[in-house]
Amino acid sequence: AASALNHPNICTIHDIDEYEGQPFIAMELLEGETLKQRIGVGARGARPTGQGERRSPLQIDTLLDLAIQIADALDAAHAKGIVHRDIKPANIFVTTRGQAKILDFGLAKLAPSVAAASRRRAGDEDVAATAGPTASLDEEHLTSPGVAMGTVAYMSPEQARGEELDARTDLFSFGAVLYEMATGRQAFSGTTTAVIHDAILNRAPTSPVELNPQLPAELERIINKALEKDHDLRCQSAAELRADLKRLKRDTDSGRARVVGEHLYGAPETKPVGADLRVRPREGAHMGAPLRWAAIALAGTVVIAGAVLAYWLTRPPPPPPELKERRLTFNPSENAVTQGAISPDGKYLAYGDTRGMHVKLIQTGETLNIPQPQGPAPDPGSWFPNGWFPDGTKFIAAGVEAGQPVSGWVISVMGGPPRKLRDDADVWSVSPDGTLIAFGTGSGVVRFREIWLMDPQGEEPRRLVAGSEDDGFFWAAWSPDGRRVAYQRFHRTPDKLECSIETRDLKGGQPTLVLSDPRLCDTDIKFLWFPGGRFVYFVAEPERVRREMNLWEVRVDTRTGEPVSKPRRITNWAEALVIGISGTSDGKQLAVSKFSEQADVYVGELEASGHGLKQPRRLTLDEHNDYPGAWMPDNKAVLFWSDRNGTWDIFKQALDQEAAELVVTGPDYKEKPVVSPDGSWILYLSSATAQVNATTPVRIMRVPTSGGPPQSVLEGRGISGLACARSPAALCVFSESSPDRKQLIFSAFDPSQEGRRELTRVNLKQPVTGYGWDLSLDGSHLAFAQSDEREGRIQILPLAGGEVREVNVKGWNGLWRLFWAADGRGLFVSAAGGQGATLLYVDLEGRGQVIWQERFPSINAEARGIPSPNGRYLAVLAHATDSNVWLLENF
C-alpha cells in the first residue's frame, strides 16, 4: 500500500523483496524521532514512565505545521483508496528538519516478525503497554467485519466495534493524535483495553483548553469535530480537516503579527474622561476636615464615574458570534452534489446529485427521492435546485438535457415527479410573495441574452431585462419587498469584459449599480438579498494559483437598489469554490454548495480501431492540478502544465515513472505546451495572468527538449491557442482574436525565428461562447468547433485552399476542445450533454462514439483527449471532485 503512494509526508517504500529466504523492505532513511517521542520529552528532557504522567504538549505553531502535513498525507492516501487504520504518534515520524512522515502503511498485512522489525527501524521500541501492539492479522481476518484492527487508544468507535471501515476512521485516530499533541495526554486512556473501549464508545475526553489554556478555541473545535463518535457527524475528509488547520494557522499567524506590532510600536492609548478633575474650595473659605473628606470622596466618585464612562465610550465593540458551519450532505466524489437550496423556513434542503433530486428533512436527516419525469427529460444527474416558493411546499430547478437548452421545472415536496414550466429557461428565483419566477433565456455574451418573469404555472411571460449584442446576464435575486430584482451583467467592450451587479425596479426605470468588480466575471456568481438590505454574494479571491471563493456582503437600499456600505468579506475559506447559495427568509441561515476540484492526467491504451480506451490509469500522482498538453515525439512521455510548485509550470512525465520532471518554471502563467515539428523545441504560451482577453500580451516561448533556459519566439495580443504539425511537415500555428473579437485569426510561424504569416480566419458567432481547434499532424488542415447549445458542428479548413467541410455530429452539442487522431481520420472532441464532461471520438462523417465520461457539478465541464503520435495511447484530462452542501449560521 505504501509503495503505491508518492507524497513528501509519507515514508517512501523503495522495494519489497526477499534475500536468501528472508523478506525485507528497502525504505527511505529518516533522521529524527517519532511524534510519540517528541511529545514524550518533558520540560527537563525526561521521558514519562507511567500512563497518568503528564507529557509535553507541542507549541501551537509546531503543532499546526505538523498537523497540516499529516492531513495532506492522509488526503493523498485516501484519494488512492488506502486507509491506514493505525494512525498514532508512534507511526508518525518527525525529521530533524521538521517534516512529518507517516509510517507503517499496510503493516497489519505483514507477519508479526516483520511488523516488529519495521517498528524497530522507525525508532518505536518504546511502545506504551496500554497502547498495545499494531494488530497483525492474516488476509482472511483483515477485511472481515467483527475484527478490531489498530492500536486500542487511537481506535475509532467503528473500529472498536469491529465494523467495516472507511477513511473516516483515520480522521478519528488523527483527532486523538491532535488531542495528544495539544495537551500532552491521550484522549482515551485506562488500565485495561475494556476501559479504553468504553471511553472511546461512550465518553468525551476532557476539554483540551482545560488541560492547556494556551490553545485557541478554534483548535478545540477542530479536534472535537475529528473526535465525533458518529462518523456521519465527524469531519468527512482529510482535505476538509487540512483546510480547517490551514485557516487556523493563517489566523494565528496574523494575530501574532498584530500582537508583535503592538509590542514594538505601542497600543493605542485612551485617556479617561475626567481624569484631570480637581475639587477646589472657594477662595477665602475655610474647609473643615469632614467637608474636606467629603470633597475628596466626591472627587473620587467623579473620577471613577468618568473612568467608567470613558470605558463605555471607548471600549471596542464585542466580537461577532463565531461563524458556525454544519455539513448537510455527505456525498462522496463519485456522487457529487450538483447544488442545494434550503427552504424559507429552514426545514428542508432540496439538492441534486448524480442519482437525481432529493429533499432532506434537515432536523432528522430523513430523505425523499424525487422520481424522474416521464418522457424526454434531463439525466438523473443533471438537476440544479435553485429556489423555493415562500410556503415551502415546492421548489424550482433547472434541468440540463443533452443537445437541448436548459429547461425550468417545479417540484412539490408532497410527491410526484417534476413538472416542466418552460423550455429554454434557466429558472433562478421566486418572488417573496410567490407570484413570479425570474429566469434567463437565450444565448448571451456570457450565459443569457435576457431576463424574464413568468407566473408559477410557467405562463404570462414578460421581459424584465435585455441588452445589446455585447451584453449577457446571469442570476436574479429579489429584494425583500419584491419590488426590485438584482442580476449580474456582462458587457463586452473592444478590449475587455466588464462585469457588474445591477438592480431594476419591476415598474421600469433605469438600473442602479450595486457593485462592479473584475472578479464578477466568473460566470456562476450568485447572490441573495436579505431583510434589512443585507446583500450576500460570493466571488473568487484574486492572485491565487488555486482558485478560492469566499462570501462577501454589502448593504443595499431596498427602495433604490443602491449600495449604502462598502463590501465586507464574511468567510475565510481555503481551497474551496462556491457553486450556489440559498437562504432562509429571516436571513439567519445560509445553505452553501461548496465544491473543490483537482485536475489529473490519465493515460490509456487505444483499441486497435482507435475508438475505445483500455484500462486508463492515473499518470500524475500529486495532489495538485495537472492539465495534459502534448506528447513527446518518442511516445514515451506526456507534457503537462501544473500548479504543484505554487506557480503554473511546464512538466514532463514518462509513462514508466511515478514522478514528473520540471521543464520550465517562473512567476508567469505557463500553459498549453506542444513540441516543434522537428522535435527539438518545447513551445508554450506565457502571460502575466491566467485571465487572457483580446488585449492581454501573450508570448510564445520555447525551451530545448534536451533542457535549457526558455527563450521568447514572438509576442501577440490575446493569443489563445498553439499547435504544431509533425515531421516531415514543418508548420506551427497560433490563434488570436481580431480586435473587434468577431474573428479568430490563424497564423503560421517558425519556432526557430521571429515572424508570422496569416493563414486564414474564421468568423466567431456573436456572442462568443467558446471554441476549440487543432492542426492535423500532416499540417494540411485545421479543425475548428465553436460551442453552441443547439448543435454540434466541426469545420475542416484546408490550409492550401479549397472548400471548407462541415461535419455535423448528431446528438451532441457544446463541442469545443478537439485534437486530431494520429491517422487523421477523426478527432477526439469535448462535448456537453447532461452534467459533466464527455470525450468523443468523431469520424469525418459525424459519427460520435463515447471514449470517456465523468460527472461533476459544472455545466461548462471540459474533456480533453490527446493521442500519442503513434496513435497507441491517449492522454486524458480527468477530475477528482468533492461537492457537498453546508449550513452557515452567525454569518
Side-chain angles (χ1 to χ4, degrees):
S3 64
L5 298 169
N6 179 19
H7 193 276
N9 299 117
I10 295 175
C11 181
T12 302
I13 302 297
H14 296 295
D15 194 15
I16 300 175
D17 210 335
E18 186 173 303
Y19 179 73
E20 295 182 353
Q22 175 64 51
F24 71 87
I25 301 177
M27 60 197 300
E28 182 181 10
L29 173 65
L30 302 176
E31 295 180 350
E33 59 185 347
T34 64
L35 184 59
K36 175 180 179 294
Q37 294 168 327
R38 182 77 170 265
I39 299 172
V41 177
R44 295 182 300 274
R47 298 183 184 277
T49 57
Q51 172 64 28
E53 188 171 338
R54 178 68 179 270
R55 297 185 290 173
S56 175
L58 301 182
Q59 294 291 328
I60 183 64
D61 53 349
T62 302
L63 183 153
L64 292 175
D65 282 339
L66 294 175
I68 291 169
Q69 295 179 55
I70 297 166
D72 198 51
L74 288 176
D75 185 37
H78 296 164
K80 296 280 289 184
I82 297 171
V83 182
H84 191 290
R85 295 173 292 187
D86 198 15
I87 294 295
K88 59 184 179 181
N91 276 344
I92 299 170
F93 200 90
V94 183
T95 70
T96 54
R97 294 179 176 269
Q99 187 178 25
K101 293 274 189 175
I102 298 182
L103 311 174
D104 290 358
F105 268 90
L107 191 60
K109 295 183 180 180
L110 302 179
S113 60
V114 180
S118 296
R119 287 196 300 274
R120 285 195 298 272
R121 182 164 56 254
D124 188 24
E125 303 93 333
D126 184 25
V127 179
T130 55
T134 300
S136 298
L137 307 170
D138 58 29
E139 195 67 29
E140 177 184 356
H141 293 117
L142 183 62
T143 57
S144 300
V147 178
M149 298 170 288
T151 303
V152 176
Y154 304 94
M155 284 184 176
S156 65
E158 58 269 29
Q159 201 171 5
R161 290 190 293 263
E163 298 173 348
E164 292 282 1
L165 305 179
D166 59 26
R168 291 174 290 185
T169 188
D170 283 349
L171 303 183
F172 186 94
S173 301
F174 183 33
V177 172
L178 278 175
Y179 184 99
E180 197 164 334
M181 294 166 72
T183 66
R185 292 186 182 178
Q186 288 184 336
F188 309 102
S189 60
T191 56
T192 66
T193 298
V195 173
I196 299 175
H197 272 202
D198 179 67
I200 291 172
L201 294 171
N202 304 308
R203 306 184 191 283
T206 304
S207 165
V209 173
E210 183 178 332
L211 296 176
N212 183 1
Q214 304 301 318
L215 293 178
E218 174 63 10
L219 180 58
E220 182 176 69
R221 187 193 70 81
I222 293 171
I223 293 172
N224 290 340
K225 186 166 70 168
L227 289 177
E228 278 282 359
K229 300 187 188 300
D230 184 345
H231 57 63
D232 284 338
L233 301 179
R234 190 180 306 155
C235 181
Q236 296 294 298
S237 72
E240 174 190 336
L241 189 54
R242 177 186 60 203
D244 286 345
L245 292 164
K246 289 176 72 174
R247 190 179 306 112
L248 175 58
K249 177 174 171 54
R250 178 191 60 198
D251 295 344
T252 302
D253 290 344
S254 61
R256 185 181 298 112
R258 184 171 59 252
V259 171
V260 170
E262 292 179 358
H263 174 74
L264 291 176
Y265 305 108
E269 293 185 1
T270 57
K271 189 173 184 178
V273 176
D276 292 332
L277 288 179
R278 302 284 191 273
V279 178
R280 298 183 177 87
R282 291 195 314 271
E283 186 176 350
H286 174 74
M287 184 177 291
L291 186 57
R292 186 166 55 251
W293 284 109
I296 293 173
L298 176 60
T301 302
V302 172
V303 170
I304 293 172
V308 171
L309 178 61
Y311 169 75
W312 282 102
L313 292 175
T314 62
R315 65 174 182 152
E322 182 181 2
L323 177 70
K324 292 184 179 180
E325 294 186 55
R326 177 160 66 95
R327 191 167 178 172
L328 296 181
T329 62
F330 300 88
N331 288 36
S333 175
E334 297 78 12
N335 186 30
V337 172
T338 57
Q339 190 164 279
I342 193 171
S343 61
D345 57 9
K347 291 183 179 180
Y348 300 104
L349 176 74
Y351 69 96
D353 58 26
T354 60
R355 297 171 183 169
M357 269 191 298
H358 319 277
V359 175
K360 187 172 190 175
L361 185 60
I362 293 176
Q363 185 173 4
T364 65
E366 182 181 357
T367 302
L368 168 70
N369 297 323
I370 304 297
Q372 278 285 106
Q374 298 292 326
D379 296 332
S382 302
W383 295 98
F384 295 80
N386 278 330
W388 287 75
F389 285 83
D391 61 3
T393 62
K394 53 186 180 293
F395 61 93
I396 55 174
V400 182
E401 276 181 81
Q404 299 295 326
V406 179
S407 53
W409 301 71
V410 63
I411 301 94
S412 172
V413 299
M414 305 302 178
R419 177 174 60 86
K420 183 183 286 189
L421 292 171
R422 197 175 187 85
D423 288 316
D424 194 12
D426 190 0
V427 288
W428 291 328
S429 56
V430 182
S431 63
D433 62 3
T435 61
L436 293 170
I437 299 172
F439 66 95
T441 186
S443 178
V445 170
V446 179
R447 291 300 190 184
F448 298 96
R449 172 82 70 183
E450 300 169 336
I451 298 177
W452 286 63
L453 305 177
M454 61 181 168
D455 69 17
Q457 305 304 317
E459 300 175 351
E460 299 184 10
R462 64 184 177 96
R463 186 168 59 189
L464 177 67
V465 180
S468 69
E469 66 175 15
D470 292 318
D471 289 317
F473 304 96
F474 182 68
W475 199 245
W478 295 83
S479 63
D481 59 10
R483 296 179 180 179
R484 301 189 74 90
V485 171
Y487 54 88
Q488 186 180 8
R489 179 181 180 229
F490 304 87
H491 178 69
R492 182 183 57 201
T493 68
D495 59 348
K496 63 181 178 179
L497 189 65
E498 296 176 344
C499 304
S500 59
I501 295 177
E502 299 178 345
T503 77
R504 186 181 290 269
D505 193 296
L506 266 62
K507 295 181 179 179
Q510 293 298 312
T512 58
L513 178 67
V514 176
L515 61 99
S516 178
D517 191 325
R519 294 180 297 169
L520 295 173
C521 291
D522 282 334
T523 59
D524 284 343
I525 300 301
K526 298 176 183 177
F527 34 87
L528 299 172
W529 203 342
F530 283 122
R534 192 180 189 196
F535 195 92
V536 177
Y537 62 99
F538 59 82
V539 290
E541 296 299 323
E543 304 303 325
R544 295 286 194 272
V545 173
R546 280 198 167 196
R547 220 159 47 111
E548 300 172 358
M549 286 184 172
N550 276 294
L551 295 180
W552 289 68
E553 72 166 354
V554 63
R555 297 285 174 173
V556 176
D557 189 309
T558 304
R559 295 175 297 105
T560 65
E562 296 177 344
V564 294
S565 73
K566 293 182 178 180
R568 181 184 73 88
R569 189 168 68 178
I570 300 173
T571 60
N572 289 294
W573 288 325
E575 298 182 8
L577 301 177
V578 182
I579 55 177
I581 57 173
S582 59
T584 54
S585 57
D586 59 9
K588 294 182 178 180
Q589 293 181 314
L590 272 181
V592 179
S593 302
K594 287 200 289 187
F595 168 73
S596 63
E597 175 183 299
Q598 177 180 307
D600 300 305
V601 180
Y602 277 68
V603 171
E605 190 171 353
L606 287 166
E607 294 177 352
S609 62
H611 305 169
L613 194 62
K614 297 187 293 185
Q615 298 179 334
R617 65 177 179 87
R618 183 176 168 186
L619 179 67
T620 54
L621 301 178
D622 65 310
E623 302 306 313
H624 297 272
N625 289 304
D626 305 311
Y627 291 89
W631 286 79
M632 294 298 287
D634 61 3
N635 305 284
K636 296 181 178 180
V638 176
L639 288 167
F640 62 93
W641 70 99
S642 171
D643 64 351
R644 61 182 64 188
N645 288 339
T647 57
W648 287 95
D649 299 326
I650 307 296
F651 292 84
K652 175 177 66 176
Q653 184 163 342
L655 300 186
D656 59 354
Q657 298 294 321
E658 293 187 353
E661 175 185 343
L662 180 63
V663 175
V664 61
T665 186
D668 55 327
Y669 180 82
K670 300 166 285 294
E671 64 171 345
K672 301 178 181 176
V674 299
V675 178
S676 63
D678 62 3
S680 61
W681 300 99
I682 294 172
L683 307 170
Y684 62 92
L685 300 182
S686 171
S687 58
T689 176
Q691 303 297 326
V692 175
N693 57 41
T695 63
T696 304
V698 179
R699 291 182 298 167
I700 297 177
M701 304 290 293
R702 68 183 185 188
V703 63
T705 52
S706 58
Q711 306 166 21
S712 178
V713 177
L714 59 86
E715 183 173 332
R717 297 279 179 176
I719 297 177
S720 58
L722 182 64
C724 287
R726 286 284 180 264
S727 181
L731 183 66
C732 284
V733 175
F734 68 89
S735 63
E736 57 188 337
S737 297
S738 60
D740 60 5
R741 302 183 65 178
K742 294 183 177 181
Q743 289 184 315
L744 194 64
I745 305 170
F746 295 96
S747 300
F749 71 98
D750 187 337
S752 62
Q753 59 188 18
E754 292 187 3
R756 67 192 74 188
R757 173 174 56 89
E758 183 175 322
L759 292 173
T760 188
R761 298 188 178 205
V762 296
N763 293 324
L764 295 175
K765 290 185 178 179
Q766 297 299 308
V768 179
T769 55
Y771 54 81
W773 65 272
D774 192 31
L775 176 67
S776 61
L777 293 184
D778 63 4
S780 62
H781 291 79
L782 281 172
F784 173 79
Q786 188 165 190
S787 177
D788 185 272
E789 290 191 347
R790 300 180 184 276
E791 63 182 33
R793 184 179 62 169
I794 301 172
Q795 292 178 284
I796 308 298
L797 292 81
L799 296 181
E803 186 177 349
V804 175
R805 177 179 180 180
E806 289 196 356
V807 178
N808 294 310
V809 187
K810 299 178 180 62
W812 295 95
N813 68 308
L815 309 183
W816 61 316
R817 298 292 186 200
L818 48 82
F819 296 87
W820 280 96
D823 60 8
R825 298 177 181 176
L827 299 116
F828 295 96
V829 184
S830 174
Q835 179 204 2
T838 301
L839 179 64
L840 303 175
Y841 173 81
V842 177
D843 65 24
L844 298 184
E845 301 301 321
R847 292 182 289 264
Q849 179 176 335
V850 175
I851 298 291
W852 174 279
Q853 212 164 22
E854 59 182 20
R855 293 186 177 276
F856 52 94
S858 173
I859 295 178
N860 291 327
E862 172 192 353
R864 187 188 295 256
I866 305 172
S868 59
N870 63 6
R872 180 177 177 184
Y873 301 105
L874 191 71
V876 177
L877 171 64
H879 298 85
T881 64
D882 179 27
S883 180
N884 278 285
V885 182
W886 295 74
L887 182 68
L888 269 62
E889 297 176 293
N890 299 335
F891 57 91

